[in-house]
Amino acid sequence: IMRPDDANIAGNVHGGTILKMIEEAGAIISTRHCNSQAGEPCVAALARVERTDFLSPMCIGEVANVSAEITYTSRHSVEVQVNVMSENILTGAKKVTNKATLWYVPLSLKNVNKVLEVPPIQYARKEQEDEGKKRYEEQKLDRLETKQRNGDMIFPVINPEPHTVGYSQSSLIHLVGPSDCTLLGFVHGGVTMKLMDEVAGIVAARHCKTNIVTASVDAINFHEKIKKGSVITISGRMTFTSNKSMEIEVFVDADPFVDEPRERYRAVSAFFTYVSLSKEGKPLPVPQLLTETEDEKRRFEEGKGRYLQTKAKRQAQMQQA
């Protein structure tokens, strides 16, 4: 059941809270599957979350029903489809709030750097396996491309003007403790996603000064594990605005200096989309982002491309329905 500490001041459940529930369901079913045959015990680690749309808001007092199903397995990875439904226990009304696809890899409990083989699943039709293999190859390529372009850093801006990138950019520093981690001593993917959503929400709120909600999350790529005792910096900046939405780039950098000192590294990256709402919950126009540098202008155009691509896909799906 959703409680006040799960929601924002308007009573809408935080997107990060929902993402954390989604990841927990995916971790349970994939870990259970990967230990279904005799062999080394393992824990499934989150590698990627595909684009996730927030179809309908969830509110305080509603019950979240989370269901998960394994839809494809490769030799070393598991694809999990998770659906979230909210239920008003006073009226009995139910609605689908989220549909998400996650990818996990099984890591040995004896050696965390060893990826184990995944037991295959049985497909009802050959087409299901072929479609799953296509999705696997696409996400594998996208993860590689994302990792290659992840070198950006966010630096403070002195006396920034309103509605500029520097004005709303935000960072959060978090010390990874035992409660954040799996049995292997690495951060739960859901914990990381919740922190990322929190930072993205701050960026969006600073930009438009209204109630904001998560509309969607583009693919979240987990490039490297984050170990217990690390200090992580979650940074967010505005990259693009349309008339009624904001795209925010969020990345997580880790400093694992407690047990095994090494240089800071980029662990996770993603794009979040937010919308601005009135007190009545109606969409509001978003102040346009003012770009100042060539890099900001380039990121704005890249964000515009993603926005138009998503819009075209949504229109095509509506025509097919």
Side-chain angles (χ1 to χ4, degrees):
I1 186 166
M2 296 295 99
R3 304 184 183 279
D5 57 350
D6 296 317
N8 60 20
I9 57 175
N12 303 121
V13 175
H14 290 295
T17 299
I18 298 173
L19 288 171
K20 189 170 184 289
M21 291 190 296
I22 288 172
E23 196 279 328
E24 287 174 351
I28 290 170
I29 192 172
S30 52
T31 297
R32 183 182 291 155
H33 175 75
C34 292
N35 287 282
S36 61
Q37 295 184 0
E40 285 188 53
C42 63
V43 170
L46 183 62
R48 176 179 167 91
V49 181
E50 300 290 1
R51 179 182 172 84
T52 303
D53 290 308
F54 289 74
L55 307 173
S56 181
M58 191 181 298
C59 302
I60 295 172
E62 292 185 333
V63 173
N65 297 282
V66 186
S67 59
E69 177 187 11
I70 293 175
T71 49
Y72 178 76
T73 56
S74 68
R75 185 180 179 186
H76 295 296
S77 64
V78 182
E79 180 191 52
V80 181
Q81 178 72 46
V82 180
N83 294 323
V84 183
M85 180 175 289
S86 67
E87 177 186 359
N88 185 318
I89 55 178
L90 299 180
T91 64
K94 297 180 180 180
K95 58 186 177 183
V96 176
T97 62
N98 295 81
K99 292 183 178 180
T101 302
L102 305 90
W103 293 89
Y104 289 83
V105 293
L107 303 180
S108 169
L109 285 176
K110 299 178 181 178
N111 179 1
V112 296
N113 295 314
K114 182 180 180 181
V115 178
L116 302 180
E117 291 194 12
V118 176
I121 61 171
Q122 299 298 316
Y123 301 95
R125 295 177 293 107
K126 180 66 166 58
E127 291 80 1
Q128 290 178 332
E129 182 176 9
D130 294 338
E131 291 168 359
K133 186 174 182 179
K134 181 180 178 182
R135 293 192 300 270
Y136 167 75
E137 295 295 340
E138 288 174 348
Q139 65 87 26
K140 188 176 179 181
L141 179 62
D142 187 69
R143 285 188 68 212
L144 180 62
E145 292 176 346
T146 303
K147 189 171 184 179
Q148 289 175 343
R149 65 173 183 262
N150 262 338
D152 284 352
M153 301 293 291
I154 291 180
F155 299 100
V157 178
I158 299 175
N159 298 323
E161 293 293 325
H163 305 145
T164 60
V165 175
Y167 184 79
S168 59
Q169 69 182 29
S170 304
S171 295
L172 182 154
I173 298 175
H174 179 75
L175 174 62
V176 176
S179 62
D180 298 321
C181 297
T182 66
L183 296 172
L184 294 174
F186 294 97
V187 179
H188 282 289
V191 170
T192 306
M193 290 192 291
K194 191 172 185 219
L195 291 169
M196 293 173 77
D197 180 73
E198 183 177 336
V199 169
I202 293 171
V203 174
R206 278 179 168 172
H207 182 76
C208 58
K209 309 292 188 185
T210 62
N211 177 38
I212 46 87
V213 294
T214 314
S216 66
V217 183
D218 211 352
I220 304 177
N221 291 291
F222 291 78
H223 308 296
E224 289 195 48
K225 300 185 292 293
I226 303 172
K227 195 171 184 179
K228 179 177 65 178
S230 298
V231 170
I232 57 175
T233 303
I234 306 97
S235 305
R237 65 184 169 202
M238 191 83 63
T239 50
F240 170 76
T241 53
S242 66
N243 290 333
K244 293 185 178 180
S245 67
M246 301 161 275
E247 182 191 72
I248 296 145
E249 182 182 22
V250 183
F251 38 81
V252 181
D253 295 316
D255 286 304
F257 57 81
V258 176
D259 293 328
E260 44 183 75
R262 57 175 285 195
E263 291 184 0
R264 171 186 286 210
Y265 62 90
R266 180 63 43 85
V268 193
S269 59
F271 289 97
F272 287 70
T273 299
Y274 275 75
V275 293
S276 173
L277 299 178
S278 67
K279 293 180 180 179
E280 294 74 33
K282 303 296 183 181
L284 291 174
V286 171
Q288 290 305 289
L289 180 65
L290 303 178
T291 55
E292 298 175 302
T293 69
E294 290 303 315
D295 282 342
E296 290 173 0
K297 293 174 182 177
R298 172 183 54 80
R299 287 194 291 266
F300 187 93
E301 290 303 317
E302 291 173 351
K304 184 178 181 180
R306 287 185 291 269
Y307 167 77
L308 293 175
Q309 187 178 41
T310 300
K311 188 176 180 180
K313 285 182 179 179
R314 188 180 297 118
Q315 290 174 344
Q317 291 172 351
M318 291 176 63
Q319 291 174 355
Q320 293 174 358

